[in-house]
Amino acid sequence: DAGVTQSPTHLIKTRGQQVTLRCSPKSGHDTVSWYQQALGQGPQFIFQYYEEEERQRGNFPDRFSGHQFPNYSSELNVNALLLGDSALYLCASSQTGRLTGAGELFFGEGSRLTVL
Amino acid sequence: AQSVTQLDSQVPVFEEAPVELRCNYSSSVSVYLFWYVQYPNQGLQLLLKYLSGSTLVKGINGFEAEFNKSQTSFHLRKPSVHISDTAEYFCAVRVAGGTSYGKLTFGQGTILTVHP
């Protein structure tokens, strides 16, 4: 059973460019959340997608946007990249409605973005 | 809003010694509590969680944590550590109930280094 997979694993961009990161959730999961983990920091919640809609959003500007597809996979898009966007971007999936697993997220290994 | 404070940024210990990683949280509503571990260049793995019931929670790899509501703490312990426990550990909270399955608030992390 494949876990959460993310691509690409590493990428380098320059300021002002745009980037798209991709995530495939664990089999059977229908909800995808995205986190940003800056160096030396804990992950910070960006947003969550369920039924192809953004359900919750953290304190991130509109430059950060996302999408969820009918097969539950998801993309994170960041426009007008800033140096401060350099971070590890983590995708996590979960199965909504499973009370026994409430809050348990399965994380991918992340996409490390470097902005020069 | 919720916040999490991990009181130690780094904890060095010798192999087979006991260890405690401290976590305090702040929230005006009931929360679920989690500990995650992150090995170098990997995503986050759930160690244990507290949803309700017994305040002593046992997790994987011999770790356990105790929920103390009066002190708003959720400290992680292991009676005897191994070299392989060297990693970064994150405490996290989520609002209990509702549909906030994806939104975890993380602490800054504690780097546990086990020396031979």
Side-chain angles (χ1 to χ4, degrees), chain B residues 5-8 20-24 35 74-76 91 110:
Chain B
T5 302
Q6 292 184 239
L7 300 169
D8 306 290
E20 178 180 80
L21 306 184
R22 298 179 294 167
C23 171
N24 287 346
W35 275 99
F74 190 54
H75 300 333
L76 180 71
C91 180
T110 297

Side-chain angles (χ1 to χ4, degrees), chain A residues 19-82:
Chain A
V19 67
T20 297
L21 308 178
R22 297 175 176 82
C23 172
S24 292
K26 182 178 170 62
S27 178
H29 286 186
D30 57 6
T31 301
V32 172
S33 303
W34 287 91
Y35 287 80
Q36 180 195 66
Q37 186 179 15
L39 196 63
Q41 305 291 319
Q44 290 201 318
F45 176 76
I46 303 175
F47 43 52
Q48 175 193 31
Y49 276 84
Y50 171 62
E51 292 185 331
E52 302 179 47
E53 290 189 14
E54 183 183 294
R55 299 291 178 171
Q56 291 190 71
R57 189 178 183 91
N59 189 25
F60 280 80
D62 291 344
R63 298 187 298 108
F64 290 76
S65 63
H67 190 78
Q68 185 179 35
F69 300 93
N71 67 352
Y72 308 121
S73 66
S74 177
E75 289 182 349
L76 165 65
N77 301 292
V78 187
N79 295 321
L81 286 167
L82 304 173

Side-chain angles (χ1 to χ4, degrees), chain B residues 36-49:
Chain B
Y36 283 85
V37 60
Q38 186 175 36
Y39 298 102
N41 300 314
Q42 293 189 25
L44 300 170
Q45 180 183 7
L46 181 67
L47 276 177
L48 48 77
K49 61 186 176 184

